[in-house]
Amino acid sequence: MCGIVGYVGEKQAAPILLDGLSKLEYRGYDSAGIAVFDGEKINMTKAKGRLKVLEELTHDGATLPGVVGVGHTRWATHGEPSDVNAHPHLNQKGTIAVVHNGIIENYLKLKKKLTGKGYKFVSDTDTEVIAHLLDYYYDGNPLRAITKVMHRMEGSYALGIIFKDYPDELYAVRKDSPLIVGNTEGGSIIASDVPAVLKYTRDVYFIENEEIVRMKKDSMEFFNVDEEAIEKESTHIEWDVDAAEKGGYEHFMLKEMYEQPKAIEDTFSPRIKGKDIVIEELGMSDEEIRAVKKIMIVACGSAYHAGMTGKYVLEGMARIPVEVDLASEFRYRDPILEEGTLVVVISQSGETADSLAALRESHARGAKVLGIVNVVGSSIAREADNVMYTWAGPEIAVATTKAYSCQLIALYLLALKFSKVRGQISDSELSQYIEDLKRIPDQVELLLNNKNKIQKFANRYVAARDVFFIGRGIDYAISLEGSLKLKEISYIHSEAYAAGELKHGTISLIEEGTLVTAVLTQEDLYKKMISNVVEVRTRGAFVLAVTNEGNDEIKRAADYVIYIPETNRFFTNSLAIIPLQLFGYYIAVGKGCDVDKPRNLAKSVTVE
Ligand code: F6R
């Protein structure tokens, strides 16, 4: 996600801000900016692109003199990557500067209110709303203005704020987005992540939700949302810089797996309004949704696997015919796109060459394209007719985990919207699905916390030569992704099969000790799956089953069982994927593979 740094003290702020931001570069960003108060005025420089551009523009900070300031590296969410959308953002008078990580979900409502009061907006961001809202509530007391703004904002935020009227103070506040503060010699510093402060201090305070900090060069006061002073204890950081970048996790992949509960919530929560699903960016009226005759999902790799799950969910719930194709195949097969076909292109990077070509091919054939994309302002996001963003934040590990999980959520939301509008589900069914959706983050967390069990199991299979993944229906889709996760990072040969296909050839590969992972989350298919499990086991396979809580019968058929918490039959993939991700990860770790950068692979495949 974005990076925040702030400083108040005796030293020049700009070089410290730039240095701190450089330590957050690994998180991914598309633009950067700093604002520093020079004693008379808040001066600001912002630039699209690498931090190097900002360093050159400011002569390494020399053009922005002053001892208090805030800086930011932005990963675009609302509004394209551009100079004007980069942070910091100022109020109209230029007396308040704000940097922000997170998403303000009700920013459109707040923007409307502020526009009505005469405020003029210059950017497309949700953050600018905060600068104007602070201005609106500011009566000379920064703390009061901040708490009032907190009461009005919905969503997640970590903020660094400076007020021209208080040249020796720096403010910070957070909710559901990380923020730390620390004292350095002759100054105080804030950052969104530990690496930015390690050069200056190893004793930091982790700010909790809805806590506010007022910092001066030699003091630090903490408040709750009622403006009452609170006490906090500092934490001593032992990590080296490399470990700090990974938030203490051994690999980015593990860190990103642990970010899934939040990424999932960030993806669904702005689209749930009371008891309804509202996907404004879909750009389709109810009439247009009802007129869709077919959905054509096109993607590559894991995004294609997400699309496979999407097919089962959209067809099963919304009763719309769905075809899923690999973008590299679709683009050359002279596809038939009849009137009424909605093309959905799924991509984390938004730059995958084949997916982009498939999008252009669809446009050339007159079809409307919806992008499900993670990177704001990417080529697919720009060229699609409409974009539904997944709010996974930047993914650094080559093997996708959190972006894939968010793609599933985006597809569920689409299925719910289409099902409701097309009369396939009732209001009460929709309410139940929304409740199930809201439970997924905690359920994912629960499964992640079970990692030791999976690690132990994985350690036994580090030397495996072949692994098979089997499932039926939606469980076949998850098997495809589980198999890819394992093979791409551990270099162990693995294949996914629709369980019913085994007999048609593949079963001859099963021998004593072959590991078969069976996924059984569809109750109506338990019996069929158990037969398949028995078939492979009698031929010597060792069977790991991933199934729903309460499926006791499988215990007799499989060797090892992992249970996932209860959800409805359409959302099980979001839970079943967690043990499979962990399994692939721990096998790769056990083999000593370069987990985050597997051989021969690139994060973004921009060539054919
Ligand atoms: C596997 C993986 C790839 C991508 C594929 C598409 O872990 O990450 O299979 O899913 O290269 O990439 P995007 O989603 O960027 O289009």
Side-chain angles (χ1 to χ4, degrees):
M1 278 289 186
C2 315
I4 284 183
V5 182
Y7 174 79
V8 58
E10 288 165 354
K11 299 196 174 127
Q12 286 296 300
I16 294 175
L17 299 176
L18 289 170
D19 176 66
L21 292 179
S22 73
K23 302 292 186 302
L24 300 177
E25 275 194 293
Y26 72 93
R27 294 157 67 100
Y29 66 100
D30 49 56
S31 52
I34 51 176
V36 179
F37 180 60
D38 68 4
E40 272 181 31
K41 184 170 171 278
I42 296 177
N43 298 300
M44 185 167 73
T45 306
K46 311 198 281 189
K48 183 180 166 188
R50 311 305 296 167
L51 197 56
K52 213 165 146 279
V53 182
L54 186 67
E55 286 165 352
E56 277 166 14
L57 276 174
T58 61
H59 299 281
D60 291 326
T63 60
L64 294 173
V67 294
V68 58
V70 283
H72 193 264
T73 44
R74 175 174 188 250
W75 165 272
T77 56
H78 297 73
E80 306 280 280
S82 67
D83 291 359
V84 72
N85 285 337
H87 300 205
H89 288 281
L90 302 180
N91 61 337
Q92 233 157 289
K93 297 183 277 247
T95 54
I96 303 171
V98 182
V99 287
H100 167 220
N101 285 359
I103 296 173
I104 304 303
E105 288 168 10
N106 60 338
Y107 86 103
L108 281 175
K109 199 168 132 199
L110 294 171
K111 192 168 179 173
K112 202 165 153 206
K113 173 190 158 90
L114 289 162
T115 308
K117 303 233 174 256
Y119 284 90
K120 301 243 174 331
F121 285 76
V122 293
S123 77
D124 304 318
T125 64
D126 50 339
T127 306
E128 197 184 353
V129 163
I130 307 171
H132 292 312
L133 206 57
L134 280 166
D135 179 277
Y136 179 70
Y137 286 121
Y138 182 63
D139 60 0
N141 180 341
L143 189 59
R144 177 119 343 127
I146 291 170
T147 54
K148 283 192 171 158
V149 168
M150 287 165 76
H151 285 299
R152 298 304 308 271
M153 289 189 297
E154 288 165 22
S156 58
Y157 50 83
L159 305 175
I161 313 165
I162 57 172
F163 292 82
K164 178 175 177 280
D165 295 349
Y166 291 83
D168 55 352
E169 292 181 2
L170 166 67
Y171 288 84
V173 57
R174 75 150 237 172
K175 180 173 163 271
D176 295 334
S177 202
L179 197 66
I180 55 163
V181 300
N183 269 129
T184 78
E185 237 184 70
S188 298
I189 189 161
I190 64 166
S192 48
D193 212 348
V194 174
V197 305
L198 279 186
K199 189 167 153 187
Y200 307 98
T201 180
R202 283 191 166 267
D203 294 304
V204 302
Y205 296 88
F206 286 90
I207 307 305
E208 300 297 334
N209 271 350
E210 305 202 319
E211 287 179 354
I212 309 154
V213 198
R214 176 165 61 206
M215 280 154 283
K216 297 188 182 178
K217 68 175 183 194
D218 48 11
S219 71
M220 199 165 273
E221 296 163 280
F222 302 96
F223 302 92
N224 64 19
V225 71
D226 297 321
E227 296 176 47
E228 293 160 346
I230 50 171
E231 296 289 321
K232 282 189 78 69
E233 300 240 324
S234 65
T235 305
H236 186 73
I237 303 287
E238 305 280 1
W239 306 330
D240 60 17
V241 173
D242 186 45
E245 283 186 358
K246 293 173 190 141
Y249 291 98
E250 203 182 331
H251 297 100
F252 281 113
M253 185 177 170
L254 188 63
K255 175 171 181 268
E256 287 160 7
M257 282 192 257
Y258 269 84
E259 286 169 354
Q260 288 180 113
K262 177 162 190 310
I264 288 171
E265 186 156 352
D266 284 348
T267 301
F268 70 63
S269 63
R271 283 130 181 174
I272 295 177
K273 301 270 150 64
K275 291 187 167 156
D276 207 4
I277 302 286
V278 180
I279 313 175
E280 275 154 15
E281 59 285 29
L282 199 57
M284 291 173 86
S285 65
D286 286 0
E287 213 169 299
E288 284 169 314
I289 289 176
R290 279 190 283 268
V292 172
K293 293 202 188 87
K294 181 178 159 188
I295 294 178
M296 177 84 228
I297 300 179
V298 191
C300 302
S302 295
Y304 167 78
H305 298 156
M308 285 285 285
T309 301
K311 173 183 166 71
Y312 288 107
V313 179
L314 278 155
E315 287 191 341
M317 195 192 282
R319 307 305 299 156
I320 305 175
V322 179
E323 206 182 318
V324 193
D325 206 356
L326 295 162
S328 53
E329 290 295 312
F330 175 89
R331 62 183 291 195
Y332 294 121
R333 76 166 161 94
D334 198 5
I336 300 165
L337 297 177
E338 285 164 348
E339 214 184 312
T341 302
L342 171 68
V343 176
V344 178
V345 176
I346 309 175
S347 175
Q348 186 283 127
S349 62
E351 300 296 347
T352 303
D354 283 322
S355 304
L356 184 59
L359 181 157
R360 290 177 179 157
E361 188 63 39
S362 307
H363 271 168
R365 286 160 196 264
K368 190 168 168 162
V369 178
L370 169 71
I372 295 182
V373 180
N374 196 43
V375 179
V376 174
S378 56
S379 303
I380 294 174
R382 285 199 312 273
E383 293 192 27
D385 298 285
N386 295 95
V387 192
M388 208 178 150
Y389 283 111
T390 48
W391 300 124
E395 220 179 29
I396 293 165
V398 165
T400 182
T401 51
K402 60 175 181 168
Y404 166 83
S405 282
C406 290
Q407 287 163 356
L408 292 183
I409 299 295
L411 289 160
Y412 301 162
L413 290 165
L414 204 61
L416 289 172
K417 180 77 196 166
F418 274 57
S419 303
K420 182 71 201 4
V421 171
R422 294 163 72 105
Q424 294 293 335
I425 55 172
S426 64
D427 284 343
S428 68
E429 281 170 318
L430 179 62
S431 292
Q432 185 54 53
Y433 283 125
I434 289 177
E435 283 317 302
D436 289 346
L437 209 48
K438 287 182 177 168
R439 287 193 301 156
I440 292 177
D442 285 345
Q443 294 175 322
V444 167
E445 184 120 29
L446 200 82
L447 288 159
L448 286 166
N449 291 339
N450 214 4
K451 68 178 191 326
N452 292 349
K453 196 176 159 193
I454 292 168
Q455 182 173 17
K456 252 194 209 155
F457 180 79
N459 286 343
R460 286 163 53 186
Y461 278 89
V462 165
R465 206 185 52 187
D466 305 292
V467 180
F468 294 90
F469 288 75
I470 57 170
R472 286 172 183 259
I474 213 165
D475 294 335
Y476 169 50
I478 206 67
S479 299
L480 288 165
E481 178 59 7
S483 168
L484 179 62
K485 281 289 88 78
L486 174 68
K487 74 178 109 183
E488 68 178 325
I489 57 172
S490 74
Y491 317 142
I492 291 176
H493 165 249
S494 94
E495 290 188 58
Y497 276 91
E501 267 295 293
L502 277 178
K503 295 195 195 58
H504 300 285
T506 317
I507 203 158
S508 66
L509 294 171
I510 305 293
E511 51 190 31
E512 199 59 38
T514 306
L515 177 62
V516 175
T517 300
V519 187
L520 307 84
T521 71
Q522 303 298 298
E523 234 177 301
D524 51 339
L525 295 169
Y526 278 174
K527 284 215 163 17
K528 299 275 167 216
M529 274 302 294
I530 287 175
S531 306
N532 295 128
V533 166
V534 171
E535 275 161 20
V536 292
R537 203 153 167 242
T538 47
R539 284 159 181 83
F542 186 92
V543 178
L544 162 70
V546 178
T547 191
N548 302 323
E549 257 164 25
N551 180 5
D552 293 331
E553 219 183 315
I554 189 68
K555 277 196 205 148
R556 284 193 294 277
D559 297 278
Y560 200 83
V561 183
I562 293 170
Y563 286 105
I564 60 164
E566 193 217 327
T567 186
N568 69 72
R569 67 190 168 107
F570 295 116
F571 297 171
T572 52
N573 275 192
S574 287
L575 306 178
I577 191 57
I578 306 300
L580 301 186
Q581 288 172 345
L582 286 167
F583 177 63
Y585 171 77
Y586 280 118
I587 293 237
V589 170
K591 283 188 71 178
C593 298
D594 188 351
V595 174
D596 286 333
K597 290 199 186 82
R599 68 187 181 203
N600 308 337
L601 293 177
K603 184 68 185 159
S604 184
V605 187
T606 52
V607 289
E608 261 197 78

